[in-house]
Structures are given as C-alpha cells and as structure tokens.
Amino acid sequence: MPLLTTKIPRRPLLRLLSTASGGTTAIESRDQKLNRIADDLLALTKAEREDYSTLFRHKLGLTQWVLAFGLNAAYATGPASEEKKEEKTAFDIKLEKFEAAAKIKVIKEVRAFTDLGLKEAKELVEKTPVVIKKGVLKEEAERIVAKLKEIGAAAILE
C-alpha cells in the first residue's frame, strides 16, 4: 500500500542567505503570519479543532485517502454526517434483586436456562446483583427477563 507523502519545496540555504534586506522582511512577515495562525489554532476548542481538521482535509482533497485507508469516516464526510451505530445483538442478563418469598422459584428458573446444578444456581442467586447469563440473543434474553419478572425478580439486559 503506497504511503501518502507530500513534497515540500525547500529553498536552498545560499539563496536565503544571499537575499537582500527586502527578502528578510518577507520572511519575517511570513513567520509572523504562521505564528498568528498557530496561536489562532491553539485557541480553538476541541470541537472547533475537529471541525477545522475535517475542513482542512477536505480542502486538501484528502477525503478519498481517508476512506481508502480505513480511517474514521467522520473525517471524510464532515461534522454534519451521522455516524451509523451498530445495534447490539448479544446481551448479558443481570439479576438485580428478588423477593424473599420467590427465592426458590428464581433458583429453579436460573437452573432452567443456565444448566447449573441446584447448589451452583443457589450460590449464584444469593450473590445478587450478578450476571446470570452472558451473550444471549435479544429475543431469548427478553423472554428470560420477562419470566424472571413474572416470578418476582428484577432483571435487566446489559
């Protein structure tokens, strides 16, 4: 994969040294201008710096390079673009609390969907709040949470 490089033209040192006094004022004004720009950039907020960065890349025509090298698409399209959020597919079921009268029912339900023995399920339920199952599909997780709520436990999806 070729690297993106920019050649910066350099003036020979002798040419800079041999310039007349008129040439030094041009250099000084150029330095002053660059210092002013640098000061202005440093005074920007974080959001303004991100917007400026995007605009600068766009003005330089680097948007196709950003996409080609797999960098963040927000830089290529600008700050007004909406990023696509991936929807979560695997959830963890967390047992928050349960009613004391429903403890046996909760243990039985936990055993039913975790394949744990009676002792392990009892120890797991007694550690509340605890994640009781990880990496469950959304439909199955919602069904399990609904069943736990029905028997008197409070469970959430994470």
Side-chain angles (χ1 to χ4, degrees), residues 41 44-67 71-83:
L41 289 175
L44 296 176
T45 65
K46 184 177 179 180
E48 290 171 334
R49 282 192 306 262
E50 289 174 1
D51 291 345
Y52 174 77
S53 173
T54 303
L55 177 65
F56 191 70
R57 284 187 181 99
H58 182 69
K59 293 273 187 181
L60 290 176
L62 297 177
T63 54
Q64 72 267 9
W65 291 103
V66 171
L67 293 174
L71 299 176
N72 190 352
Y75 289 121
T77 56
S81 70
E82 296 179 18
E83 292 183 22

Side-chain angles (χ1 to χ4, degrees), residues 110 116 120-128 130-132:
V110 168
L116 293 175
E120 292 87 8
K122 181 179 182 262
E123 289 172 355
L124 186 64
V125 168
E126 289 175 346
K127 286 192 236 177
T128 303
V130 66
V131 174
I132 53 179

Side-chain angles (χ1 to χ4, degrees), residues 9-20 24 27:
R10 298 178 184 254
R11 289 196 240 168
L13 182 61
L14 293 174
R15 187 171 157 194
L16 283 174
L17 294 175
S18 65
T19 56
T24 58
I27 292 173

